[in-house]
Amino acid sequence: MPAGAGVEPERPNMPNFKYESKFRYDPNDPFGHMQEEFPDESEFDVVIIGAGPNGLIAGAYLAKAGLSVAICERRFEVGGGLATEENLFPCYASNPHVLYHMMVDYMPALRDFDLEQPSLTWIKPNAQTGMVFEDGSSLLLARQVQDTKDSISKFSYKDANSFGRAVRDWKRMVHDIIGPATYIPPLPPIEMTMAMQRTPLGERMMEIGEESPIDIITSTFEDERVRTLMLYASCMWGLDPRESGLGFMVPLMLDRTMNKCYCYGGSHKFAGALAREFVKHGGLILDAAAVESILIEDGRAAGVRIAHEGRTLRSKVVMSTLDPHTTFLDMVGADNLPAELRQDIEGWSWDKWSFNTLHVAANEPPRYAADDPWIDKCFATVLGIESVDQLLAHWDSVVDGRLDLDSFGGHSTCESLLDPTLSDRPGKYVSMFQIHAPYDLEGGWIDRHDEVMQAMLAKWRKAAPNMGPESIVASTMEDPGEIEIRFPQMRRGSIKHGEYTPLQMGSFRPTQDCSATDTPIEGLYTCGASTFPGGLVLGGPGYIGAGRVADDLGIDRWWKPTPEMERYIKDYLEE
Amino acid sequence: MAKDEEFDVIIIGGGPNGMTTAAYLAKSGLSVCVLEERTECGGACETVSPIAGARIYPHAMLMYASPAPGFDQLELHRYGFRMEWDPADLIEQSQGGLGCSDGWRDITPKDQEGWAKLGGMLGQPPFSKELMRATFWCPPHPADIEVSDENTPYMQVYRKYQPDIWTPELREMTMFDLLDEHCETEHFKTAMAFAAWASGAAGHWEGVAVPAALCVQLLTLPNMGRTSLPRGGLHGYFHAILRCAVHHGAQIRTQCPVDEILIDDGRAVGVRLRETAASGGLTMRAKKAVIAAVDVHQAFLDLVGPKHLDPGVIQKLKDISLKNGTLYVSTFHTKQPLRFNSKYEKGACNAKRVGPDRQPAAGIFPCDSRELYYENVADVDGRKGQPTISPEHAMWFHTPSQAFDPTDCQGSYPRGYISAAFEMNVTSPDLHKEGEDAPDLHKEATDRFMRDSFSQMLDGLDDDNVIHHWSATGREVEFRNTGLIGGTWCGSRHDEDQLWTNRPIPELARYRTPIEGLYHAHQTSGHPGGLCLMAIPYNLMHILIEDGVAEPGAWWYASPYYIPEEGKISAFMR
Ligand SMILES: Cc1cc2nc3c(=O)[nH]c(=O)nc-3n(C[C@H](O)[C@H](O)[C@H](O)COP(=O)(O)OP(=O)(O)OC[C@H]3O[C@@H](n4cnc5c(N)ncnc54)[C@H](O)[C@@H]3O)c2cc1C
Ligand SMILES: Cc1cc2nc3c(=O)[nH]c(=O)nc-3n(C[C@H](O)[C@H](O)[C@H](O)COP(=O)(O)OP(=O)(O)OC[C@H]3O[C@@H](n4cnc5c(N)ncnc54)[C@H](O)[C@@H]3O)c2cc1C
């Protein structure tokens, strides 16, 4: 044989992981395989469960820190909620989960990593959220404050000015406090109060915190429609409008609603870039690998076992980004938990409502019957809701497991307006219309799927008359049950892995013991949406978890806090 | 304006061939950038989720690449590569017989023996791996070397290990001729010829008997007793390749379609992106090479452009035949699982039912005789329109791949049942006599025709039971993935005029182009053509080494059957 042939290739020394290669090709074994596979037993410093935004971010920081890290992902594709799928098959893709990226301005991961610049691009349109009413009037929340004020002034000068004033303060709260605090382990309530007392802004924020969203909105605005939009924008991610204690989330949600971004190419692009950053630094991704259990040895986490394929990944640290029930009760096992932890975890409550989303491909983008042409350009458009009472009634019925198909509303987005590449057929537009919806719908989703879909199409068409059968070429609807099918960690369709209530937020998320990502079980960390600061693509839990694991393993953090974080630490936390 | 970025090598197209090339070159220490038009890399190696939890494979499904040197050269196992299998699978399947219009017919021992022998399984020792590598993983010989019985790689292998297969006619035969010599039953031969039509060179094409038989063997023999499905589907396998490339420093830019290959003084020096690219219409520079891993028509007629090519070459490029069939893929979401109808229920052995729901895996149907096969071929490639053949006679295959993966919806979908994929060859849009949009206009009728055909064997495809029928016409496929010209599964026919030293045309056979510094590496353009084999990149590596572009490390080994080109650096290297 000529030179080179059959020579055993040299194995370059790579940092990823330790294993013993048992592979040998045996031509005489008809059952033998020709190619080597990922080993049955392997050893890492860190194993992360779930390749959603948090798992990927945690992995990227730790791999770059020189640790050997594996991420196990149940699906065939990484990203978790950062999904872009051809759900209008064939030819039209859409974002079934994350569409609005709220924290692009603050997320440290976007600054600490290069993430394939210049091809990962964020779009932050000025026309952010519109609201249309039956009589053709409309309201606009724009990125540029003055545009919002101009729009509000159609209904109330006073509200326009109140908005300007309130937003000045709210923006600072977000910029100086809430934004940076998203990426720093939470303080217990008393310490938090003391920290906030250091500045007047902090004190005002604590005051707001004691109020309920509806109180904040009604005391700030007088006009019914303005209130309706503000309440929708504040609570659309799951704040209880009547509950006090999380009022500081109102400034955050409103500010972020005016500053959300679209990821050009679809949200999955962000996931792809994070994943490649992770792999570049030696990280290993196992997809189509559902973790079945977390190995517990001598009371500490020692690795994971993969379902269906008998593979074990051993590690010093296991980080779970899943919901608390899956992590603790199913994977660690209720019997392995300290009694108090078990009790806390069993008391975890799921999101009170979920999303039901209609996706369509059409010949045109929706054109709303509205008095302001900017509405057609809005990133998001709220429709079907006329008043605060109607909104509250809608949300109440959803919490009760009902959908009043005569009186409901939601928000819609035409993704193709921002991104012509989602549709592979020229001249077509992909749009979605999303409503809050119960997981346990009265009558059942399977039986009522079509009925709800027709009602949504009718509702949408009423607001945007061109969204009819003559324009729509494909449509599909994903209900809360299907969210859970795609993502079992979003139990009962919980988009945030668990509800936002004062007892499940801050240093209580998921429990007081676990909110800084480490847990009472040595070697086990929890850093998904159910850990402080919570759900949505904040990138907080993963970032905080990476820091904690690096510290606990005695590894230098190669990253530094962002300038906003540094200022916050200096102003509020340092002795 | 920002300064142009510069890389050693720019690769256009992030399908399996582009990405494997990137992995090889990045591992060789070059700075590499892959530019992909879509937002996800993978080309036709992709997985789609049309409804939550249901995963379908619109194109590639089955693993043919087992013998690839890429597995050890790129060490894909270090990037998470795993196979998925049910050991009961193929053995039982081969005992399960083939579906014919009168019921199941057995595969005889003589069929099996002849087939195993052709695949090198009966040698001492078995030489399948070497045979496969010689056939697919070896660059075509240099133009000045006359191809002969003596120097054709697979001829050398047979002569060495199984001389009774070697005959001077072997290189001229059709696969049917070969099967007539070595196998017994008509239904077995028909089934294998049909499988070849859908896997590479077809059963009736002149001069490609061995490549045709072996591309089917790639699927069966090397994975004897195992399902040829990587965990996570072929996209999972692709991920391992991509991650190898990324780990070695390759930059991947998705949503960055290339609009033009920049040519300066006869040399490819970079590319210009389309204006809708995520980074805008930038230009990027390549110091050593530009590699077009996109379809051959687009690469030369659009990205290079006629002004850089002579009219003779342009005509030849235009004439590259796409008649390798568009595989029309159907996957069903049903209320009740599909079942064999009464005629086939009897005698459908255990292996014909897969997954927890025990849904059918019908295999190839109907395999009665080569007359049926020819009737299908004439309809698709001869008459070139909508099917005129009767649904009873239309041949199709039903691949069990997905049904084995327990992480998959096919393992458990809580809202009904997802079938394995059905595939049938139909006329490519480019050849359709009513024009390229015709397949879309007739889609409803085609879908119905498909269901009628599949219903010859299976129950459950009635309107009452079917919730979704996912399918894509060749035209839709073309929009979805610009790499699949004509929606064809491999883009250009693997016949003697377009294989080996003739692929895609003799002038381009060794992956070089008339433009210095420009190479091609797409299924439509390079030997051995379609399938996710990591073969084109491996073969191309020989050429890039010859040209001094790549200098891989000690992990590299060349094909033992490769013939270096005079005056170039030999890819044997050491
Ligand atoms: C319909 C919908 C719309 C939404 N819209 C937005 C939006 O516009 N903006 C926004 O910011 N947020 C949005 N969200 C919320 C957002 O998707 C989540 O809060 C976010 O994805 C949480 O990130 P994570 O990394 O913590 O977990 P996830 O994204 O939930 O990722 C967890 C990962 O773990 C994997 N996994 C599950 N089980 C296992 C197992 N056993 N083994 C291994 N892996 C496993 C999952 O497959 C998943 O990839 C939306 C959610 C839904 C459902
Ligand atoms: C129905 C069907 C079934 C199949 N079944 C199998 C199977 O079971 N097993 C198997 O191994 N193979 C199978 N194949 C074949 C296999 O999928 C292909 O051979 C393989 O994907 C070819 O890879 P490629 O990289 O050459 O091209 P492609 O996969 O076509 O990739 C080309 C890439 O280039 C991109 N691109 C195009 N133009 C541009 C541009 N201007 N700029 C930047 N990027 C661009 C495309 O978006 C695409 O990602 C099947 C194919 C089909 C259609």
Side-chain angles (χ1 to χ4, degrees):
Chain A
M1 252 185 217
V7 175
E8 190 52 19
E10 195 181 275
R11 307 207 169 263
N13 201 12
M14 294 201 306
N16 328 38
F17 60 97
K18 293 195 205 115
Y19 72 103
E20 202 184 313
S21 176
K22 297 191 177 129
F23 174 75
R24 199 174 55 86
Y25 169 60
D26 175 5
N28 286 303
D29 175 8
F31 299 98
H33 238 235
M34 287 189 176
Q35 67 284 65
E36 183 163 7
E37 296 177 36
F38 181 76
D40 289 347
E41 302 270 337
S42 51
E43 218 182 298
F44 295 82
D45 293 323
V46 179
V47 171
I48 298 173
I49 308 172
N54 285 311
L56 291 171
I57 287 173
Y61 278 96
L62 294 175
K64 192 168 172 183
L67 294 169
S68 81
V69 188
I71 304 183
C72 301
E73 167 54 46
R74 179 180 164 276
R75 294 191 74 217
F76 60 88
E77 195 61 74
V78 300
L82 295 172
T84 305
E85 313 261 356
E86 201 172 339
N87 54 359
L88 293 159
F89 179 84
C91 292
Y92 309 105
S94 152
N95 297 290
H97 302 288
V98 181
L99 171 58
Y100 309 118
H101 294 260
M102 320 285 279
M103 289 302 267
V104 171
D105 300 330
Y106 292 98
M107 202 186 295
L110 284 168
R111 316 214 189 152
D112 293 337
F113 297 104
D114 180 36
L115 295 182
E116 290 165 19
Q117 296 299 341
S119 77
L120 183 70
T121 312
W122 302 96
I123 297 179
K124 196 202 265 190
N126 182 36
Q128 286 265 334
T129 300
M131 191 165 205
V132 293
F133 301 97
E134 251 175 41
D135 62 2
S137 61
S138 67
L139 260 173
L140 174 73
L141 268 178
R143 175 164 52 78
Q144 298 176 29
V145 175
Q146 195 52 47
D147 286 325
T148 309
K149 285 180 67 180
D150 290 345
S151 178
I152 295 177
S153 72
K154 290 188 293 183
F155 298 94
S156 158
Y157 280 122
K158 217 173 132 218
D159 280 358
N161 289 332
S162 309
F163 178 81
R165 253 193 320 276
V167 157
R168 252 180 262 160
D169 225 26
W170 293 352
K171 262 189 192 309
R172 279 190 55 208
M173 284 177 197
V174 175
H175 186 262
D176 293 359
I177 303 174
I178 315 175
T182 303
Y183 303 99
I184 295 172
L187 295 176
I190 298 175
E191 285 172 42
M192 188 66 184
T193 308
M194 282 162 59
M196 289 304 114
Q197 280 166 350
R198 290 195 191 182
T199 72
L201 185 72
E203 284 188 327
R204 284 204 297 284
M205 205 190 81
M206 290 311 284
E207 280 161 28
I208 283 203
E210 292 311 311
E211 292 176 54
S212 72
I214 189 120
D215 289 344
I216 300 171
I217 301 296
T218 45
S219 63
T220 313
F221 304 106
E222 58 169 28
D223 181 82
E224 182 67 15
R225 297 180 189 204
V226 176
R227 287 176 172 180
T228 309
L229 173 60
M230 297 299 168
L231 190 65
Y232 192 92
S234 306
C235 297
M236 67 175 278
W237 297 109
L239 273 191
D240 184 330
R242 300 188 189 87
E243 191 165 47
S244 54
L246 293 177
F248 68 91
M249 301 276 290
V250 171
L252 176 68
M253 289 306 179
L254 283 178
D255 177 70
R256 293 296 89 201
T257 298
M258 295 181 281
N259 287 284
K260 55 191 182 291
C261 293
Y262 177 79
C263 182
Y264 191 60
S267 295
H268 184 70
K269 221 175 156 221
F270 181 27
L274 283 169
R276 291 194 278 272
E277 191 66 29
F278 172 65
V279 169
K280 187 168 99 189
H281 295 293
L284 172 98
I285 298 176
L286 276 193
D287 27 38
V291 171
E292 180 180 65
S293 59
I294 296 172
L295 305 177
I296 302 288
E297 286 171 11
D298 301 330
R300 57 167 299 150
V304 301
R305 203 185 332 272
I306 308 291
H308 312 299
E309 49 184 303
R311 285 189 166 86
T312 303
L313 282 69
R314 306 190 62 85
S315 61
K316 298 181 195 144
V317 161
V318 174
M319 303 173 83
S320 171
T321 66
L322 308 184
D323 67 276
H325 279 199
T326 307
T327 304
F328 291 103
L329 302 178
D330 301 349
M331 291 184 170
V332 173
D335 296 342
N336 289 324
L337 302 178
E340 200 184 329
L341 179 63
R342 176 173 175 170
Q343 205 180 358
D344 285 350
I345 299 294
E346 282 172 347
W348 182 253
S349 56
W350 307 107
D351 293 12
K352 278 205 280 282
W353 61 48
S354 183
F355 276 147
N356 181 58
T357 313
L358 172 69
H359 299 272
V360 302
N363 293 322
E364 295 174 355
R367 293 197 221 291
Y368 291 95
D371 58 1
D372 183 347
W374 284 16
I375 293 295
D376 286 346
K377 292 193 228 155
C378 277
F379 188 0
T381 305
V382 184
L383 58 105
I385 307 283
E386 298 288 316
S387 67
V388 169
D389 284 349
Q390 189 207 343
L391 179 58
L392 291 175
H394 167 51
W395 281 341
D396 286 344
S397 70
V398 167
V399 173
D400 274 358
R402 286 175 295 110
L403 261 183
D404 180 353
L405 294 182
D406 296 324
S407 172
F408 72 98
H411 48 273
S412 73
T413 287
C414 178
E415 287 135 287
S416 294
L417 282 179
L418 302 170
D419 184 354
T421 67
L422 281 177
S423 148
D424 285 334
R425 299 211 79 154
K428 306 283 183 207
Y429 295 81
V430 176
S431 307
M432 71 88 171
F433 175 27
Q434 190 165 61
I435 60 173
H436 296 100
Y439 174 79
D440 286 319
L441 176 65
E442 196 178 52
W445 277 108
I446 298 183
D447 288 342
R448 296 191 60 198
H449 195 91
D450 279 352
E451 180 198 351
V452 174
M453 185 158 162
Q454 291 313 320
M456 285 181 76
L457 282 164
K459 173 76 63 183
W460 204 355
R461 188 175 196 181
K462 201 164 163 209
N466 70 334
M467 289 307 275
E470 48 314 324
S471 176
I472 294 177
V473 296
S475 56
T476 186
M477 187 179 90
E478 190 164 314
D479 66 45
E482 290 175 298
I483 292 177
E484 194 186 33
I485 291 174
R486 184 179 278 123
F487 290 131
Q489 77 281 7
M490 297 189 179
R491 288 206 190 181
R492 301 182 54 80
S494 292
I495 69 164
K496 309 181 301 295
H497 302 188
E499 120 176 277
Y500 281 0
T501 63
L503 281 178
Q504 290 195 170
M505 289 300 273
S507 63
F508 298 105
R509 193 171 183 87
T511 73
Q512 242 176 328
D513 280 346
C514 303
S515 64
T517 73
D518 54 337
T519 71
I521 295 167
E522 212 185 317
L524 179 65
Y525 295 74
T526 162
C527 62
S530 56
T531 300
F532 172 86
L536 306 189
V537 185
L538 312 179
Y543 177 82
I544 295 172
R548 178 57 64 118
V549 167
D551 293 352
D552 289 357
L553 290 179
I555 300 290
D556 282 343
R557 297 191 191 197
W558 56 264
W559 63 97
K560 279 206 189 54
T562 61
E564 293 87 1
M565 287 162 69
E566 269 174 350
R567 206 174 41 233
Y568 169 72
I569 293 169
K570 189 163 139 283
D571 291 349
Y572 291 92
L573 305 183
E574 265 168 21
E575 301 289 305
Chain B
M1 230 186 96
K3 206 164 160 253
D4 286 351
E5 277 187 283
E6 197 174 57
F7 294 88
D8 288 331
V9 180
I10 288 177
I11 297 173
I12 311 168
N17 282 316
M19 196 57 72
T20 310
T21 306
Y24 267 108
L25 294 177
K27 190 165 179 178
S28 304
L30 296 170
S31 72
V32 177
C33 183
V34 178
L35 299 168
E36 165 55 45
E37 167 170 4
R38 307 186 72 201
T39 59
E40 178 69 54
C41 293
C45 232
E46 62 176 337
T47 305
V48 165
S49 181
I51 54 175
R55 145 175 154 188
I56 67 170
Y57 305 104
H59 313 301
M61 291 168 218
L62 300 165
M63 168 61 98
Y64 291 74
S66 302
F71 283 104
D72 45 61
Q73 295 189 334
L74 301 176
E75 299 188 294
L76 295 190
H77 60 280
R78 285 175 163 264
Y79 303 94
F81 174 78
R82 289 111 79 215
M83 289 291 283
E84 175 64 55
W85 62 72
D86 177 343
D89 173 31
L90 271 186
I91 295 248
E92 269 192 82
Q93 284 220 332
S94 62
Q95 290 159 355
L98 292 163
C100 298
S101 41
D102 54 357
W104 300 103
R105 291 192 204 160
D106 285 341
I107 299 172
T108 62
K110 187 150 186 257
D111 286 333
Q112 284 181 354
E113 204 187 294
W115 185 246
K117 188 169 167 185
L118 286 174
M121 289 300 285
L122 303 186
Q124 286 302 333
F127 57 96
S128 317
K129 191 171 182 177
E130 191 167 342
L131 177 64
M132 303 298 179
R133 283 194 176 181
T135 311
F136 302 100
W137 288 273
C138 175
H141 293 335
D144 57 351
I145 307 273
E146 198 186 335
V147 175
S148 68
D149 287 347
E150 275 60 47
N151 69 15
T152 298
Y154 64 76
M155 296 294 273
Q156 297 184 56
V157 177
Y158 278 132
R159 172 165 271 165
K160 183 163 153 200
Y161 294 100
Q162 195 88 53
D164 58 332
I165 288 184
W166 196 98
T167 66
E169 294 82 45
L170 195 51
R171 286 201 301 129
E172 265 94 62
M173 286 182 182
T174 68
M175 180 178 166
F176 269 124
D177 298 335
L178 189 63
L179 292 172
D180 282 340
E181 232 170 77
H182 296 277
C183 297
E184 184 175 18
T185 65
E186 182 69 3
H187 51 272
F188 179 76
K189 296 174 195 169
T190 306
M192 292 305 116
F194 179 77
W197 191 27
S199 302
H204 63 294
W205 291 341
E206 303 292 328
V208 285
V210 171
L214 294 191
C215 66
V216 182
Q217 301 260 5
L218 278 176
L219 191 57
T220 54
L221 286 177
N223 292 291
M224 183 81 149
R226 291 174 172 186
T227 314
S228 287
L229 177 73
R231 186 161 271 273
L234 276 198
H235 194 65
Y237 152 63
F238 176 83
H239 274 157
I241 301 172
L242 178 144
R243 287 168 190 156
C244 174
V246 170
H247 179 86
H248 288 289
Q251 288 263 340
I252 314 291
R253 302 274 172 83
T254 56
Q255 215 188 5
C256 285
V258 169
D259 236 9
E260 187 187 348
I261 295 172
L262 303 175
I263 294 167
D264 187 9
D265 203 13
R267 192 185 158 80
V269 293
V271 298
R272 186 174 50 73
L273 301 182
R274 197 173 301 160
E275 278 168 26
T276 50
S279 52
L282 298 175
T283 54
M284 298 170 76
R285 303 266 147 194
K287 278 186 276 193
K288 299 196 162 163
V290 174
I291 298 176
V294 298
D295 80 79
V296 64
H297 283 170
Q298 186 193 181
F300 291 97
L301 303 177
D302 301 340
L303 303 185
V304 169
K307 69 176 178 225
H308 296 289
L309 299 166
D310 76 65
V313 168
I314 291 173
Q315 185 62 43
K316 278 196 186 167
L317 286 166
K318 287 185 176 161
D319 286 345
I320 291 173
S321 173
L322 303 183
K323 282 190 193 170
N324 212 141
T326 289
L327 284 175
Y328 196 96
V329 183
S330 295
T331 310
F332 297 98
H333 174 204
T334 56
K335 292 180 193 156
Q336 294 304 316
L338 303 185
R339 294 288 175 226
F340 286 113
N341 62 25
S342 50
K343 189 165 168 190
Y344 296 93
E345 175 59 33
K346 209 166 87 30
C349 71
N350 209 25
K352 301 270 179 216
R353 294 173 229 272
V354 292
D357 307 325
R358 309 310 291 154
Q359 290 205 65
I364 298 168
F365 180 84
C367 311
D368 300 32
S369 67
R370 70 189 72 184
E371 280 66 40
L372 215 55
Y373 171 94
Y374 283 121
E375 215 186 304
N376 279 269
V377 165
D379 210 40
V380 173
D381 286 341
R383 281 182 281 278
K384 300 188 288 195
Q386 287 303 109
T388 63
I389 196 169
S390 73
E392 292 83 13
H393 285 191
M395 286 182 81
W396 46 268
F397 65 101
H398 185 213
T399 140
S401 62
Q402 304 159 71
F404 289 105
D405 185 343
T407 59
D408 211 321
C409 55
Q410 277 77 10
S412 61
Y413 185 67
R415 292 196 184 174
Y417 298 84
I418 311 290
S419 77
F422 294 80
E423 303 188 37
M424 190 192 289
N425 252 327
V426 298
T427 301
S428 309
D430 297 30
L431 303 177
H432 202 291
K433 60 186 177 197
E434 295 167 46
E436 60 185 3
D437 286 325
D440 280 6
L441 303 176
H442 294 293
K443 186 170 179 186
E444 230 180 284
T446 310
D447 277 346
R448 183 143 306 277
F449 176 83
M450 295 288 158
R451 286 204 292 274
D452 285 349
S453 283
F454 310 149
S455 296
Q456 301 305 311
M457 189 187 246
L458 302 168
D459 283 343
L461 291 168
D462 47 296
D463 291 349
D464 273 354
N465 195 40
V466 174
I467 305 171
H468 288 110
H469 177 172
W470 291 299
S471 63
T473 70
R475 187 72 176 135
E476 286 170 331
V477 165
E478 216 168 26
F479 279 110
R480 296 190 61 247
N481 179 348
T482 42
L484 294 171
I485 37 173
T488 59
W489 73 268
C490 68
S492 56
R493 184 162 62 193
H494 299 93
D495 62 0
E496 62 181 340
D497 291 319
Q498 294 187 173
L499 207 63
W500 185 237
T501 51
N502 290 333
R503 189 168 183 86
I505 55 174
E507 289 84 340
L508 300 173
R510 274 194 131 209
Y511 314 99
R512 295 191 182 94
T513 71
I515 290 136
E516 206 189 321
L518 177 66
Y519 301 84
H520 63 85
H522 189 249
Q523 59 165 357
T524 52
S525 59
H527 175 78
L531 301 180
C532 310
L533 298 177
M534 298 193 283
I536 291 171
Y538 172 72
N539 298 347
L540 166 65
M541 272 300 280
H542 294 74
I543 307 307
L544 294 175
I545 295 169
E546 284 191 350
D547 289 358
V549 173
E551 278 180 69
W555 50 269
W556 166 257
Y557 51 88
S559 162
Y561 302 97
Y562 145 80
I563 301 180
E565 190 156 318
E566 275 286 312
K568 304 261 184 194
I569 305 165
S570 163
F572 289 128
M573 289 175 65
R574 279 162 295 270

